[in-house]
Amino acid sequence: MAKNSTEIGGDVSGRARTWLTGLGTAYPPNLLTPEWLEAVADRFHDVKQSEGLQQLLNVVSPKTGIETRAGVCDYGPNGFGTKTSPPTIAELDNLFRIEGVKLAVEACKAALSESGIGVDQITHTVGVTCTNQGNPGYDLLVHQQLGLRSYVDRMLLHGVGCAGGLSILRAASQAVLAATARGKPARVLGFACELSTPLLRRELADAAKSSARDVSIASALFSDGAAAFVMTNDLGLDNSKPLFEVLASASALISQTLDHMGCYADLHGT
């Protein structure tokens, strides 16, 4: 029998509790350096003729302090994205649905393993990405590859960008609290996956046409990877051990920041 809210952690308030019981991450094997970024830029562009690329490679990249980044694409000979033109949105979508799903599944398995909860016990999934736009969402592919039950409550968030990880924590917590209010167990599997290196060709092409002041810094910052968690209420704990408790969540908008960073689909990705 799951412990009730008055038995866990000495809490006697009677409030509904939301627990994180498992965490997992997954990264692709390629480790990409600042020198690698310079080599890819030189391969496809005349860096000396672009103040945007010079700003990106000689000013922005060194200041990040990043030594290596994990990536599914290394732009090696005959690899993905090495044609004359940048990859199309269809090619990017297909790659994500293979490599991105693989990473998400790996992260989910790690979170489930730490939690001690089986795939047949999961009641909800909450996923997010801002580097894939396809329908049905990639969460369905993750669902199928994990072997989750067909009636698991699925939710895929869209349009939240870099706030995606926190957003799925908030959405999962709301699902857990709703189940608690109905007197039902909740075991939510949350996962996020982003693939940024497949978008590098488009990022470099934009930088080549940009001024030093307006150049995007994304290609010097972001890597590829996935993360996952398992979240439960008291009724869903069973033999799992709580790692963290979600005490509260909120969402807010900061005015005049709409144009600071975005991710929009077109023929060449984003």
Side-chain angles (χ1 to χ4, degrees), residues 126-173:
V126 184
V128 71
T129 184
C130 67
T131 51
N132 184 260
Q133 313 277 345
N135 293 286
Y138 87 106
D139 65 316
L140 176 60
L141 303 180
V142 174
H143 180 120
Q144 292 175 333
Q145 291 192 24
L146 286 173
L148 297 172
R149 295 174 295 181
S150 61
Y151 51 85
V152 166
D153 188 321
R154 291 173 40 233
M155 183 190 307
L156 179 62
L157 304 188
H158 177 72
V160 289
C162 295
L166 291 174
S167 296
I168 58 173
L169 281 168
R170 185 182 74 246
S173 177

Side-chain angles (χ1 to χ4, degrees), residues 163-226:
L166 291 174
S167 296
I168 58 173
L169 281 168
R170 185 182 74 246
S173 177
Q174 291 168 347
V176 167
L177 293 174
T180 301
R182 298 194 302 270
K184 297 182 177 295
R187 304 178 189 92
V188 183
L189 179 61
F191 52 90
C193 179
E194 303 295 354
L195 299 188
S196 297
T197 60
L199 308 176
L200 179 63
R201 287 289 308 279
R202 171 55 191 273
E203 292 283 353
L204 291 176
D206 283 349
K209 298 178 290 185
S210 175
S211 67
R213 181 179 184 275
D214 296 326
V215 68
S216 169
I217 63 174
S219 56
L221 289 179
F222 300 132
S223 63
D224 304 337

